[in-house]
Amino acid sequence: MTEMKRFNKILLLLFMISMMVACTKDFNEINTNPHGFTTASDGSLFNGIIESMVLKGDEQFYINNEILYKQTQLAAVTKDAWGNFTIGTEALWDNYYKTLPSIRELEKRYDAAEPSSSINRMKAMLDIVFAYKTFKMTDLFGDIPVSKAGYGFQDLEYLHPEYDTQRDIYLNMLAKLKTADSLLSDTAVEAEPFLSFKAFDKFFKGDVMQWQKLANSLRLRYAMRMVNQEPELAGEVILDVLENNRPILVGYDLASPVLESACLWPAQSGFKNESLNWSFREHNGLRMGSTLWHLLSINDNGDGSGIFDPRAYIFFEPDGNNLWSAFPQVPDLTTPSSGGVPYGEHRDDAGNFNIKGDNCNYSPFNYFLIRDQDYMPIIFITGAEVHFLLAEAYFRGIGVPADRDRADIEYMNGINSSVDWWKKLSRTLQLPLSALKFKDVVSIPQNLNAASVLNHFGSWIATTDEEFLALIYTQCWIDAFRQPWDAYALARRTGLTPRDGGPLNHFRMPYPPSEYQYNSTNCNAAIARQGGDSPETKLWWAKK
Amino acid sequence: MLKFTLPLILLLFFSLTLQAQQRKVAGTVTSSDDGNSLPGVSILVKGTATGTTTDIDGNYSLPNISSSTVLVFSFLGFQPQEVLVGDREIINIAMLSTVTKLDEFVVTALGVKRQKREIGYSTEKIGSEDISRSGAPNVINAIVGRSAGVLVSQGDGVEGGTTRITIRGNNNLNGNNQPLIVVDNVPMENTPGLENIGRGVDWGNGVSDLNALDIEDYTVLKGGAASALYGARGANGVILITTKRGKKQKGIGVTYSFDHKITHPYRYRDVQNKYGHGGPISFTEPDFPVDGEGNLLYPGIYGNDKLVLNQEGATSSTSEEFGYYGSAVSWGPEMKGQMIKWWDGEQRAYSPQPDNYKMPFQDGYTQTHNLAASGGSDKGTLRISLTRQDHKPIISNSNYNRTTVNVGTTLNVSDKVKADAVMTYVKFNRLNSPVLGEDWNSFSKGYLYSWPRSYQGIDMQNYQLADGSRNNLEGYPFMYVDKYLWWNYYNNNTSLDRDKYTGSLALTYNVTSWLNLTARAGRDYTIEQKVATSKPTDVIGLMGGSYSSDLSRNNSDNFEFVATAEKTNIFNSKLNIRLTAGANRWDYKYYSIYGHSGTWYYPNMYTFFNYTESVTSLNEIGELVVDEKGDLLKDIAAQEKVKNIRNNSVFSFLNLDYNEYLFLELTGRNDWSSTLPSNSNSYFYPSASASFIASEAFHIQKHLPWLNFLKIRGGASQTASGTDPYQTAFYYTTALFGGDQTSYFPTLIPPFQLKPQRVNSYEAGLNIGMFENRIDIDFTWYYKYSFDQILDLPLPTSSGAPGIRINEGILSNRGIELIVNTVPIQTSEIILKAGLNISRNRNRIESLGDYSDTYVLADIWGLNGPAIALKEGDDYGSIIGYDYLYNEKGERIVNDAGTKYEITDTRVPIGNASPDFTGGVHTELSWKGFRLFTLVDTKWGGDIYCGSYVISLQTGQSPSTLLERDGGGLPYTDPEGNVRNVGIVLDGVYADGTKNDKVVHYYYKYLPNAGGWGKFISTPGILENTWVKMREISLAYSLPGKVCDKLRVFQGLTLSVTGRDLFYIYTTLPDHINPEGVMGSGNAQGFEWASYPGTRSFSFNVNASF
């Protein structure tokens, strides 16, 4: 009897266990990652896109410091380069394409949303960043996947995207910028969801006018960049901006400095540009080159007595022997080798600032410029560049009637803006540990200013049209000292930027190995269309 | 005890003589192996049901026995013996142990003990003796060379590292391919361990926590049918481990064993000791740089773009000509003891350093003490065991120890209820595990890639200054390792502290004679803490100091309920039936928290709290200004990890047995896995297996007397498994930028339709026993088809993600296994056993889905070098890399200068790591108390990418690089016009097909054409890796039972010496590179890079029972 009771109890237990087991109760809860985010706000996605505009270490190291400074001759690579540029091209590719799904997601959201001023503004800001990033990529590689790229998360049909021609990319992105400008012209009072969204805007803190200026300034830049290939289309864009008085970034307004620019300012936006110093410290091969030096100083005097351009003091500093010394842009067998550790973090520590290591016998980049992770901005476009673009447009009569006087004024304002902008910046730069400010360490002689530059590079010294254009390009090139990719574009477009040795024979970056390996059909089609994948292959806009 | 038994026997003797016809017969039964008495031996009067069993001392007595009686002695594990009584009254029997494996018992799914003969699938059993004798680094390694189809490998590194086990190849394209380990019916957590093939720190995996001395035996269940009842987790096979329980025994029931093992590194890579440091910076004879005063200076490594190519003065750059090479380049001047100004400024002799890379190695040892007590009565049994192991590996600063307490008990609660409980506690402490492979703190990389043959270890001796601060090593000329490697090695310590509790409790209730219920609960609970400290590098104790702590909790709970109904001779037929049904729940919970200090504020204080607060203020124009640099809160905050899985199952199995020669087993199981989406998280899978003992069914032995056993078996089964948690939802990655949240898409497109991964297996086998089972042969054929495999395939980044997770991979395994066991000699004095096993597995990638035909399992340098990959249509473990370009005649194409081979644009298959077969041969000779065991095993075929080989050519370390330098080359005219016999001609043709005849400097043979980092030829690194190894020789001596009895101290005493991993009988790798130095225990096997030297070990063991 008791046996049976016990048996029944056990059967009951068995039943209970089976009931418990057979169901999938709590599975949802168990299989939810408590630390995973299943939703993302528009603002947080946008913030990620903005973050992607901060230059990454590998891009700076392997592309800028290894290749672009050398090719543009904005500086000299003193040692044989590491040559493993594929790390850099992969980094560029990663940066652009891993951000693209966020852009596609926001596009999808805005397309689906009820149109409103808020949505328009958000969409416009997104498109401006998208256009900037895309132009930068296509200008380095040529044809790249754009219109079908970045959709992998939305549709599995788009896992191996075809390449767009550079021409299509240019026209599409210029159209996007134009639309963005008009969307941002809406003067409706700011409301939600834009108010929440703009808190995430680390670029302009939701200042719509700044975005509009950036959009139109970029339109000028990229219209000009394709001018040799598409003069009429380029002219239309430039005319549209100027004729309709679209807001643009201004360096000088008549004779008064405005010194506008579009930059990411780390301290203001609350981040640290950590890879900046690494890319110089570990590379350690960049020094002042003879080409730029000879445009900043009238002679090679080591005491700097020949320097007439204050930017020499901002961009570079004397070598380990406290002398100004440029590495020859085209070295020969007799060139003494370069040494030292001028970019080492040891210089942050009190009393160590002047230790540049043994054999630091060429002028390094100014330590503040490559060390200050808080106040040295990441530059996208400056007011000075806009002036130089306008100088070229007026001089060549692109979109607007040719006007030599107007061109002179814009050229002069370009120099004024550039020199003043860099001088102003230099006063804010400081070292992270010591809080040493730039001006306390390297004082720029008082007599050096925009006027001393103009004394040497005033438009009046040009005797031919080509010489004047070369002046414009030279100054635009100097202003782009920390945008070597833009200087590279200028050099390729014009062939008139300063240069020692033979003409430029480097026009693009080869596609990264991952595209060869995983998107071979489309990659090979693009290569065939462009006539090769070597650096010597010219981009569409540089073909003429 | 002797006191009582002797008079008793005498008494018996006298009483028996009184009854001449019907006497009492008595005696002692012992084992012929060790002379120990055997309790519980059954003694039957032949032809009757009368009989008895031996008592705890092995004694028996039977009354009323006539002279014509035949006594049958039988005992599990021993050969039955029949004895005619005759006129004897004392019959002592020494029983021979069973030498055949055919009728041994094995443990099968859910802990059911079954006779091996009735099972329809392949199993193999390893006994406690094999385990403890082998001196293997861990329990599972004892199976190496012993079992067909089971591959066990120990990754590169030192003792205590991870072990990789696979049974019949890989079932999954990616993810865990290792079998489930079940200890006393409780599945154990065994993470794969170090999976990175290129670099990392190997802290070992769960297998190493199993204590060999507590294990009774383990059984390997290979096929799907065998493991179907462990569900998803058993898909890769199951290793069932049974720990020891107490038993009634003689004496006080205490055993003590001591083992001392010495591990000796012996197989170092061969190197040349003639030429020292120097890069390929000139084609003229290597020479020292000279300073203004004429002092010889330390040679340089890197040239620049001033490399003079020829007499015309054309120049190039060293990287253009030779690619990227490590600073270990030893292409410098001959070492003749010249005094030169060393890099540290001292004058030192530039002399050969033949032993420089033995410097960090030493002899290691392992000491094990084990004390166990066990006993039992009718009420139950108890065994308590305490084990302490201390290890000193072959490198310093890496000692570890382990203490294990094991308690096993059985309790007969009542006639019908039995309880079984086991509890194990393991305490493991380890200080540092070496940094392996391609890491800036890996000294084995240093010796291969960064330090040349003239390396004198100055940085190793002087890493610290007298005041305890770090020596800045001014002038340190080596690259690609951390300049402060030795400082870091001794001062940046990580200690691991693990507490592991495993326990299980089972309650069995025999409700009726035919119904039996079992409830079981088991837990595997581990708490692990890793504390890493970096000593400050300055005197004050602030700079460079760091502290971190990683605390994790790993909990796996298993609940099971099983009911078994059994009925024999159904309807008076010869059919026996057993039906089992049950339910199981497995809960897995993982949590970890990790934190670290920041920029130190307090000197020498190792704690989270040691960080520097950032002080900021607003300047006059409202911008944020950092007044004092400090740590950002987001960088300091602790991080957590969580992982939860639940699996629920119901299962049932049906066993039919007809007349003890036909056996059938059917199983079915349904799982519900929390890791899968709701529409696919319930899945069923069945199995069937049968075995037919033809020899009994057809009485074959009557016709063929030598064939005493013939069994045919076969089975088909399916297993299915879930996956890792948290894949069913889409998760954004998130971070902070500018103080606000950022969201990103993940780097992987998640599977839109996740399903369970499945494996279908088919198996057939044949067992033959011949000459009274003196020869027994077991042959198995199997085929496995794995489909719906989950894996991550690469995509072009331009799609928005560099990868996609798919659920449609397919792979297959087909293979054969052959096991032959023989007993060539068997007398009452000598037994010689010999066994052979051999297995071959082909693991083919059938499909990788629509998105890619290649899947990279692992690589070291991304696209800048070779990789281990899966390639559709190829065997598992393709090695892909940049290959030569061949013309249509198969000749290699060289460039016009004759300096370099042309190579492929993309990586193509250049080798495959799958071996042709693996196998082992073992012999065991027993004579009196001695036992001699030998084991040879082999891996035959299969390639590896041998990084050490390539780099030692590239850096001029390999002895083979001496050939041309010593004048054995072709006449070559250098840029200065000197002619020396140092030239070579690359074997190949130009693009137009004409043969290359250009004599170039020997650098071109070794530097750009050997391989290395970057887009360089990978093919020269592919080497066949075949080896045959003398794995084990051991000799044991057991004191005979009689001697023990006389000594009256021991109940038994065994002494043994074992040599393990003794030497290679045959190997194909050049330069004595370690053939088993393949890194890691992940799926990617076949990549060697800066491996440790090979080691051998000798152990001495004493085992005494009291």
Side-chain angles (χ1 to χ4, degrees), chain B residues 644-663:
Chain B
N644 293 321
I645 301 175
R646 172 172 291 174
N647 199 87
N648 294 326
S649 326
V650 291
F651 54 82
S652 169
F653 52 117
L654 174 70
N655 287 85
L656 299 171
D657 151 10
Y658 181 75
N659 203 12
E660 304 219 328
Y661 61 68
L662 182 63
F663 304 90

Side-chain angles (χ1 to χ4, degrees), chain B residues 908-949:
Chain B
V908 297
I910 50 176
N912 194 294
S914 310
D916 295 337
F917 67 87
T918 57
V921 173
H922 60 93
T923 64
E924 189 180 338
L925 177 69
S926 310
W927 176 69
K928 300 209 164 160
F930 290 95
R931 184 175 291 206
L932 177 69
F933 180 85
T934 66
L935 172 65
V936 172
D937 72 325
T938 179
K939 169 185 161 298
W940 201 274
D943 301 322
I944 62 170
Y945 178 82
C946 190
S948 295
Y949 171 69

Side-chain angles (χ1 to χ4, degrees), chain B residues 76 114 150 155 197 291 295 360 409 445 537 607 626 684 754 963:
Chain B
L76 186 64
R114 295 173 65 191
V150 182
I197 62 165
D291 70 7
N295 297 316
T409 177
K445 177 192 174 185
T537 56
T607 171
V626 180
F684 174 80
L754 199 60
L963 176 70

Side-chain angles (χ1 to χ4, degrees), chain A residues 58-286:
Chain A
D58 285 343
E59 175 184 348
Q60 297 191 69
F61 189 119
Y62 296 102
I63 303 295
N64 296 356
N65 295 357
E66 198 94 297
I67 300 171
L68 299 185
Y69 272 109
K70 180 179 176 177
Q71 293 300 339
T72 58
Q73 300 199 352
L74 276 172
V77 178
T78 55
K79 268 195 286 253
D80 200 22
W82 296 56
N84 22 2
F85 62 87
T86 57
I87 297 178
T89 52
E90 290 286 4
L92 285 165
W93 216 258
D94 263 19
N95 179 286
Y96 180 74
Y97 288 108
K98 285 184 185 167
T99 315
L100 211 44
S102 302
I103 293 174
R104 298 303 186 198
E105 170 71 16
L106 288 177
E107 283 178 343
K108 193 169 93 175
R109 291 184 191 182
Y110 299 148
D111 285 349
E114 197 69 35
S116 69
S117 300
S118 281
I119 296 292
N120 284 344
R121 285 183 183 129
M122 286 147 65
K123 185 171 162 38
M125 285 158 66
L126 176 71
D127 279 349
I128 296 165
V129 181
F130 182 26
Y132 174 80
K133 287 178 69 80
T134 308
F135 279 126
K136 187 175 169 190
M137 280 291 283
T138 182
D139 286 352
L140 287 170
F141 291 99
D143 296 359
I144 54 168
V146 178
S147 61
K148 295 196 167 65
Y151 287 110
F153 285 95
Q154 294 184 16
D155 190 338
L156 296 183
E157 293 296 305
Y158 291 91
L159 295 183
H160 299 92
E162 290 162 20
Y163 285 54
D164 296 65
T165 64
Q166 190 171 42
R167 184 178 187 276
D168 288 350
I169 295 168
Y170 256 69
L171 300 187
N172 280 332
M173 291 299 147
L174 282 168
K176 266 190 200 299
L177 289 175
K178 183 182 163 115
T179 314
D181 172 53
S182 68
L183 291 177
L184 290 175
S185 302
D186 186 340
T187 53
V189 179
E190 290 181 1
E192 284 297 349
F194 182 72
L195 289 172
S196 307
F197 180 84
K198 76 183 227 184
F200 289 91
D201 172 14
K202 301 299 159 191
F203 211 150
F204 293 127
K205 300 187 165 65
D207 183 338
V208 167
M209 176 53 80
Q210 290 292 320
W211 280 101
Q212 217 173 345
K213 287 181 175 180
L214 173 62
N216 290 309
S217 303
L218 292 178
R219 291 174 71 196
L220 292 177
R221 174 197 276 173
Y222 293 105
M224 193 60 92
R225 209 164 270 183
M226 65 174 190
V227 73
N228 296 349
Q229 215 31 269
E230 295 287 353
E232 279 179 25
L233 291 175
E236 279 170 27
V237 175
I238 292 167
L239 182 66
D240 183 51
V241 173
L242 296 182
E243 195 178 51
N244 300 315
N245 285 320
R246 304 315 306 143
I248 50 176
L249 294 167
V250 180
Y252 255 64
D253 189 8
L254 298 175
S256 30
V258 184
L259 305 188
E260 287 179 327
S261 61
C263 300
L264 265 171
W265 300 87
Q268 285 179 32
S269 297
F271 71 95
K272 288 180 184 301
N273 187 8
E274 281 163 343
S275 65
L276 171 67
N277 182 230
W278 172 84
S279 68
F280 278 83
R281 190 181 66 230
E282 292 296 320
H283 183 267
N284 198 27
L286 277 185

Side-chain angles (χ1 to χ4, degrees), chain B residues 487-694:
Chain B
W487 165 275
N488 298 342
Y489 185 81
Y490 290 106
N491 287 316
N492 299 352
N493 292 314
T494 304
S495 63
L496 171 73
D497 183 339
R498 181 159 67 219
D499 286 280
K500 186 180 176 77
Y501 303 83
T502 50
S504 78
L505 181 66
L507 216 54
T508 307
Y509 176 29
N510 294 311
V511 184
T512 66
S513 62
W514 55 269
L515 181 67
N516 159 314
L517 305 176
T518 302
R520 204 177 276 136
R523 166 170 277 202
D524 180 342
Y525 187 79
T526 306
I527 293 179
E528 191 173 284
Q529 186 172 21
K530 259 186 209 155
V531 173
T533 56
S534 295
K535 188 182 158 186
T537 56
D538 60 356
V539 184
I540 306 161
L542 277 176
M543 195 179 287
S546 78
Y547 167 81
S548 73
S549 173
D550 191 348
L551 185 66
S552 71
R553 186 184 66 203
N554 214 321
N555 187 15
S556 171
D557 284 334
N558 216 72
F559 305 100
E560 204 158 72
F561 184 85
V562 183
T564 305
E566 209 164 350
K567 183 86 183 133
T568 51
N569 301 341
I570 292 185
F571 309 122
N572 288 327
S573 72
K574 289 175 178 172
L575 186 68
N576 302 331
I577 184 165
R578 186 166 73 226
L579 179 68
T580 307
N584 173 289
R585 164 172 286 182
W586 172 57
D587 267 331
Y588 176 80
K589 286 185 182 140
Y590 173 85
Y591 175 81
S592 75
I593 184 161
Y594 169 81
H596 57 85
S597 63
T599 308
W600 278 16
Y601 190 80
Y602 306 102
N604 297 313
M605 178 57 65
Y606 297 91
T607 171
F608 293 159
F609 186 66
N610 205 350
Y611 69 97
T612 308
E613 248 174 302
S614 186
V615 179
T616 56
S617 61
L618 294 179
N619 67 9
E620 58 277 8
I621 53 166
E623 291 171 352
L624 194 70
V625 180
V626 180
D627 297 323
E628 279 174 55
K629 185 190 154 115
D631 300 301
L632 295 175
L633 193 62
K634 72 171 169 111
D635 296 333
I636 290 292
Q639 295 151 29
E640 301 169 282
K641 278 186 201 154
V642 175
K643 197 172 165 182
N644 293 321
I645 301 175
R646 172 172 291 174
N647 199 87
N648 294 326
S649 326
V650 291
F651 54 82
S652 169
F653 52 117
L654 174 70
N655 287 85
L656 299 171
D657 151 10
Y658 181 75
N659 203 12
E660 304 219 328
Y661 61 68
L662 182 63
F663 304 90
L664 179 69
E665 179 172 276
L666 301 171
T667 74
R669 180 176 175 117
N670 199 87
D671 280 2
W672 288 264
S673 167
S674 69
T675 60
L676 295 169
S678 57
N679 60 357
S680 67
N681 65 5
S682 164
Y683 44 99
F684 174 80
Y685 45 98
S687 85
S689 68
S691 72
F692 175 59
I693 303 175

